[in-house]
């Protein structure tokens, strides 16, 4: 496959340093950057900008590796800075530990031509040449590393167009999807959040010729976030204000709502905050929300329904992933048919329950506690692009049975009671119907999560999620205790669907 290339003109040393920062936002372990240029071309300046950005310290000491041949940095993504000018042969690279360094971190290689035959085929070449009073860099290569670098530079162009071209970028957080976030800072301004949300890559067909994300109604573009964000803000919910957006490329520049933890310093739930979050849900659920929301003038997002297909394909994750992990064999056709029949009978009971806007992931990682604010403004809400129109009890279950933190039965009950009290206070409210819907959606969500966490281990190599399984099983036992779920509870018990492994 032919190499691709892109160019940047760097008018001064600050621009060269900034390019290093932009590269730092894109790097992953295994990346190799070949820095090609004459003495004084700016290779070390570029490397220094990248390393200091990853270290989060603009004054971080970055000595030249001219005499040591390699300098290593224990940054969040480890960096190994090689200078091969004094290398006599490619064989010496083995003594420097090049292969291991290139596999476990980022390798920055000055004078790569001294060992050209030993450089990986996936390397990106950054050729730097003097041009007038500045420099021109040509980045060439292919594959995922080139794509990441190109996207990071496009994000810088977006910042330039938004009036934030001189801002400093720093890694902030990512989530379980392809989305990633950065903080951008600029002298004299409050920090902002840069959201990088590429178009969702749909997987292979899994049912009726459709991929999982299409059936489960996962948001495919950033327009979903922008539309729901604007609607929630208009409805009195504190969400990030949108400073600038590029819906086509998937970039948003957002207000930074702060970093106040929703949990206590030990990562445990605070009952009062969960109650406040439940009361905010009650306010949201007491409003009417259109299912066609405007993301930009003339650009609309149709909020999908939380329909039977979506409910079912999510709950099927338990038999797809959890059951094989427990039993050592795929779920039988008989088990699948019985499981589906048991759940269909339960889902039928949701048909007459209250429907409204479901944010879908309303739990501690997505709630920012703003202690200095008052009322509902104390709660900053993020990560709602997958919102649906469906049974509103789902969001209460997501909060009160928080998947990432152990919520005691006492705090769970207090959270649900706070929601119920707020709904009663606002007007007519069918509490019994809500509590039944709460049990059903809690059972559905926790069954889904058992499957997802096993999938993250088995398919994605992320075993850390397995530590959450005992908590999720406990939540599922709580949900199945509702009388309306007696038949489903018996099916789980008879087929040992909550066995440990």
């Amino acid at each position: 496959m032919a190499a691709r290339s892109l160019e940047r003109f760097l008018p001064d040393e600050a621009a060269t340093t900034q390019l290093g920062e932009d590269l730092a936002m894109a790097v992953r372990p295994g990346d190799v950057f070949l820095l090609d240029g004459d003495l004084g071309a700016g290779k070390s300046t570029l490397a220094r900008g990248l390393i200091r950005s990853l270290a989060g310290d603009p004054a971080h000491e970055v000595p030249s590796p001219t005499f040591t041949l390699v300098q290593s940095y224990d940054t969040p993504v480890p960096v190994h800075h090689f200078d091969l000018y004094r290398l006599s042969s490619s064989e010496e690279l083995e003594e420097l530990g090049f292969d291991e360094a290139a596999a476990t971190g980022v390798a920055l290689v000055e004078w790569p031509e001294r060992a050209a035959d030993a450089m990986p085929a996936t390397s990106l070449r950054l050729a730097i040449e003097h041009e007038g009073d500045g420099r021109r860099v040509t980045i060439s290569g292919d594959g995922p590393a080139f794509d990441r670098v190109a996207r990071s530079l496009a994000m810088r162009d977006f910042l330039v167009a938004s009036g934030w071209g001189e801002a400093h970028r720093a890694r902030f957080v990512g989530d379980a999807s392809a989305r990633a976030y950065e903080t951008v800072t600029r002298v004299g301004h409050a920090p902002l959040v840069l959201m990088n949300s590429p178009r969702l890559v749909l997987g292979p067909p899994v049912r009726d010729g459709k991929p999982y994300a299409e059936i489960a109604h996962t948001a495919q573009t950033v327009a979903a976030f922008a539309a729901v964000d604007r609607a929630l803000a208009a409805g009195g919910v504190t969400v990030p204000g949108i400073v600038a957006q590029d819906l086509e490329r998937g970039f948003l520049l957002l207000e930074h709502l702060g970093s106040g933890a929703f949990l206590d310093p030990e990562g445990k739930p605070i009952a009062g905050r969960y109650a406040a979050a439940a009361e905010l849900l009650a306010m949201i659920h007491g409003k009417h929300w259109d299912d066609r929301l405007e993301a930009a003038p003339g650009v609309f997002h149709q909020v999908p329904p939380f329909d039977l297909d979506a409910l079912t394909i999510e709950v099927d994750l338990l038999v797809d992933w959890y059951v094989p992990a427990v039993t050592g064999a795929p779920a039988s056709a008989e088990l699948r048919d019985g499981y589906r029949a048991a759940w269909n009978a339960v889902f039928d009971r949701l048909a007459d329950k209250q429907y409204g806007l479901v944010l879908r992931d309303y739990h501690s990682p997505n709630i920012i506690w703003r202690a200095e604010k008052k009322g509902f403004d104390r709660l900053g809400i993020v990560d709602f692009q997958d919102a649906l129109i469906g049974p509103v009890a789902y969001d209460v279950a997501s909060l009160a049975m928080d998947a990432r933190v152990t919520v005691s039965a006492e705090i769970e009950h207090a959270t649900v009671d706070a929601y119920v009290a707020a709904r009663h206070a606002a007007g007519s409210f069918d509490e019994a119907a809500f509590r039944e819907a709460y049990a059903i959606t809690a059972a559905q969500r926790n069954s889904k999560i058992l499957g997802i966490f096993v999938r993250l281990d088995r398919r994605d190599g992320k075993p850390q999620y397995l530590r959450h399984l005992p908590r999720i099983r406990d939540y599922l036992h709580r949900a199945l205790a509702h009388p309306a779920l007696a038949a489903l509870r018996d099916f789980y018990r008879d087929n040992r669907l909550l066995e440990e492994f």
Side-chain angles (χ1 to χ4, degrees), residues 18 21 25 53 56 58 156 159 163-172 182-194 253-254 256:
Q18 186 184 78
E21 179 178 279
M25 297 301 101
S53 179
R156 176 61 70 179
L159 289 175
W164 280 68
E166 297 180 1
H168 288 290
R169 301 166 60 187
R171 294 185 178 206
F172 185 29
E182 300 172 8
T183 54
V184 292
T185 54
R186 182 175 162 213
V187 175
H189 296 265
L192 299 178
V193 173
L194 177 57
L253 193 56
L254 303 169
H256 198 314

Side-chain angles (χ1 to χ4, degrees), residues 367-453:
I367 305 174
I368 299 163
W369 184 253
R370 294 146 51 92
E372 74 283 3
K373 303 294 184 179
K374 302 293 184 182
F376 291 142
D377 196 28
R378 293 175 299 169
L379 299 147
I381 310 302
V382 299
D383 197 11
F384 36 72
Q385 60 281 327
D386 292 327
L388 303 170
I389 300 297
V392 296
Y394 184 93
D395 277 348
V396 186
S398 177
L399 172 68
M401 295 188 182
D402 197 324
R404 302 300 181 90
V405 59
T406 298
V407 179
S408 67
E410 291 75 20
I411 292 181
E412 179 208 345
H413 295 153
T415 302
V416 175
D417 288 347
Y419 174 86
V420 168
R423 292 301 305 271
H424 277 305
S428 177
F429 177 63
D430 188 338
E431 180 178 342
F434 162 77
R435 290 190 180 274
E436 181 178 316
Y438 171 82
I440 294 170
T441 54
Q444 189 271 355
R445 178 174 172 82
N446 285 293
S447 295
K448 171 185 72 172
I449 292 173
L450 282 179
I452 288 175
F453 285 173

Side-chain angles (χ1 to χ4, degrees), residues 172-181 195-197 225 361 365-366 382-386 404 456 462 465:
F172 185 29
V173 292
D175 59 21
S177 71
R179 287 183 297 274
Y181 301 85
M195 179 179 178
N196 174 18
S197 181
F225 181 97
D361 280 312
N366 298 330
V382 299
D383 197 11
F384 36 72
Q385 60 281 327
D386 292 327
R404 302 300 181 90
L456 285 166
K462 298 178 179 179
Y465 286 90

Side-chain angles (χ1 to χ4, degrees), residues 98-151:
F98 179 83
D99 288 344
E100 181 180 356
T104 60
V106 177
L108 308 179
V109 186
E110 298 190 40
W111 305 103
E113 64 272 17
R114 302 282 182 168
D117 57 335
M119 295 297 105
T122 55
S123 303
L124 295 191
R125 182 172 297 277
L126 283 72
I128 309 174
E129 299 178 325
H130 291 286
E131 184 174 311
D133 294 332
R135 301 162 177 141
R136 182 168 296 278
V137 59
T138 302
I139 304 172
S140 57
D142 207 351
F146 185 89
D147 293 338
R148 282 186 266 109
V149 167
R151 188 159 180 86

